[in-house]
């Protein structure tokens, strides 16, 4: 058992793994829960310092703090599973969150305003406006109909030769308005043809690689 946790800790914090020494604020934990749910899921190890040292926690108290984070501060609620590990006399809680189909989940920021968070590397960051539009398109009950005209075909041909494209670049490349370029890129991403990323707060789209 301890070997399993040691293996997780050795990976270090990242996209799907976060360490918490203890829980003093359920709202902060809520941001981690929604970030995992809004991205690809992940694991929260409670009772582990950022440097990987195991400190242990009070099982009942920490569990109820996580439950409060999920039930009271995540909108909608983020389901989670908890596994308790005993390592050298110390208790570590493994909180597992799966990727959600009810995106976006939101949690309060430091000012109490509810925002959608995603996981980027080892940080929880506020989702961009474009990401919110993609989620809205994904959960829309209306079918997305894309007619591949000159702009769409130009886009695909460009992305076969280049890694990414921005909204502004596509607008110029396809001789279409910014709003039309954004709509096409959002719809193609919601359909699963493109992937969206937001490095350095810049919106970029790329072809989704075949699995």
């Amino acid at each position: 058992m301890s070997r399993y946790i040691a293996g997780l800790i050795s990976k270090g914090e990242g996209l799907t793994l976060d360490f918490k020494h203890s829980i003093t604020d359920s709202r902060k934990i809520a941001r981690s829960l929604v970030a995992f749910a809004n991205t690809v899921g992940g694991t929260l190890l409670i009772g582990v310092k950022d440097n990987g040292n195991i400190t242990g926690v009070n099982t009942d108290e920490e569990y109820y703090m996580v439950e409060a984070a999920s039930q009271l501060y995540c909108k909608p609620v983020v389901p989670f599973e908890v596994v308790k590990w005993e390592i050298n006399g110390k208790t570590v809680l493994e909180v597992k969150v799966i990727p959600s189909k009810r995106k976006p989940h939101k949690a309060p920021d430091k000012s109490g305003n509810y925002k959608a968070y995603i996981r980027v590397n080892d940080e929880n960051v506020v989702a961009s406006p474009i990401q919110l539009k993609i989620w809205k398109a994904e959960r829309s009950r209306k079918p997305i109909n894309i007619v591949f005209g000159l702009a769409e075909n130009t886009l695909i041909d460009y992305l076969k030769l280049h890694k990414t494209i921005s909204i502004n670049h596509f607008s110029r490349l396809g001789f279409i308005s910014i709003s039309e370029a954004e709509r096409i890129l959002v719809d193609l991403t919601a359909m699963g043809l493109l992937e969206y990323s937001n490095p350095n707060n810049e919106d970029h789209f790329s072809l989704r690689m075949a699995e």
Side-chain angles (χ1 to χ4, degrees), residues 15-20 23 25-46 62-82 93-108 115-119 123-125 135:
L15 179 67
T16 60
L17 185 60
D18 196 7
F19 301 157
K20 295 296 180 187
I23 302 177
D25 186 348
S26 287
R27 291 169 295 185
K28 187 174 182 179
I29 294 301
R31 292 196 285 272
S32 292
L33 296 180
V34 302
F36 282 143
N38 286 335
T39 313
V40 293
T43 298
L44 187 64
L45 289 183
I46 304 173
E62 304 294 332
Y63 176 84
Y64 290 127
M65 292 286 278
V66 176
E67 187 174 52
S70 171
Q71 299 288 333
L72 301 178
Y73 297 114
C74 294
K75 297 182 179 180
V77 170
V78 173
F80 66 90
E81 292 184 0
V82 173
L93 293 184
E94 179 189 14
V95 180
K96 296 184 284 187
V97 177
I98 63 173
S100 176
K101 296 181 179 179
R102 302 179 65 194
K103 304 171 186 175
H105 293 267
K106 296 182 178 181
K115 295 180 179 179
Y117 289 85
I118 60 171
R119 191 79 174 165
E123 296 183 344
N124 305 323
V125 301
W135 283 331

Side-chain angles (χ1 to χ4, degrees), residues 35-203:
F36 282 143
N38 286 335
T39 313
V40 293
T43 298
L44 187 64
L45 289 183
I46 304 173
V48 178
K49 287 186 174 181
D50 290 344
N51 61 9
N53 288 340
I54 296 175
T55 56
V57 292
N58 180 308
T59 308
D60 292 338
E61 181 179 343
E62 304 294 332
Y63 176 84
Y64 290 127
M65 292 286 278
V66 176
E67 187 174 52
S70 171
Q71 299 288 333
L72 301 178
Y73 297 114
C74 294
K75 297 182 179 180
V77 170
V78 173
F80 66 90
E81 292 184 0
V82 173
V83 178
K84 182 175 72 172
W85 300 93
E86 295 293 338
I87 303 172
N88 298 327
K90 298 177 181 178
T91 300
V92 172
L93 293 184
E94 179 189 14
V95 180
K96 296 184 284 187
V97 177
I98 63 173
S100 176
K101 296 181 179 179
R102 302 179 65 194
K103 304 171 186 175
H105 293 267
K106 296 182 178 181
D109 62 12
K110 293 180 180 179
S111 300
N113 299 312
Y114 275 78
K115 295 180 179 179
Y117 289 85
I118 60 171
R119 191 79 174 165
V120 177
N121 297 322
D122 61 349
E123 296 183 344
N124 305 323
V125 301
V126 176
S128 69
I130 292 297
Q131 180 65 76
L132 295 176
K133 290 181 180 181
I134 292 170
W135 283 331
K136 183 178 181 180
E138 287 176 341
R139 67 176 185 269
S140 173
R141 294 184 178 181
K142 295 181 180 180
I144 300 173
N145 296 315
I146 292 287
V147 176
F148 272 75
L150 180 59
E152 289 81 3
N153 286 316
T154 299
L155 169 67
I156 299 301
D157 289 341
Y158 178 88
L159 287 176
K160 287 178 180 178
L161 300 174
H162 303 83
K163 288 184 177 181
T164 66
I165 194 169
S166 67
I167 296 172
N168 287 340
H169 191 171
F170 178 39
S171 172
R172 296 192 300 271
L173 187 70
F175 296 100
I176 55 179
S177 67
I178 294 291
S179 60
E180 180 66 5
E182 178 186 292
R183 183 193 65 79
I184 292 172
L185 290 168
V186 166
D187 284 349
L188 290 177
T189 303
M191 291 174 65
L193 297 178
L194 301 182
E195 289 187 347
Y196 169 75
S197 60
N198 184 245
N200 302 315
N201 289 321
E202 297 177 353
D203 300 313

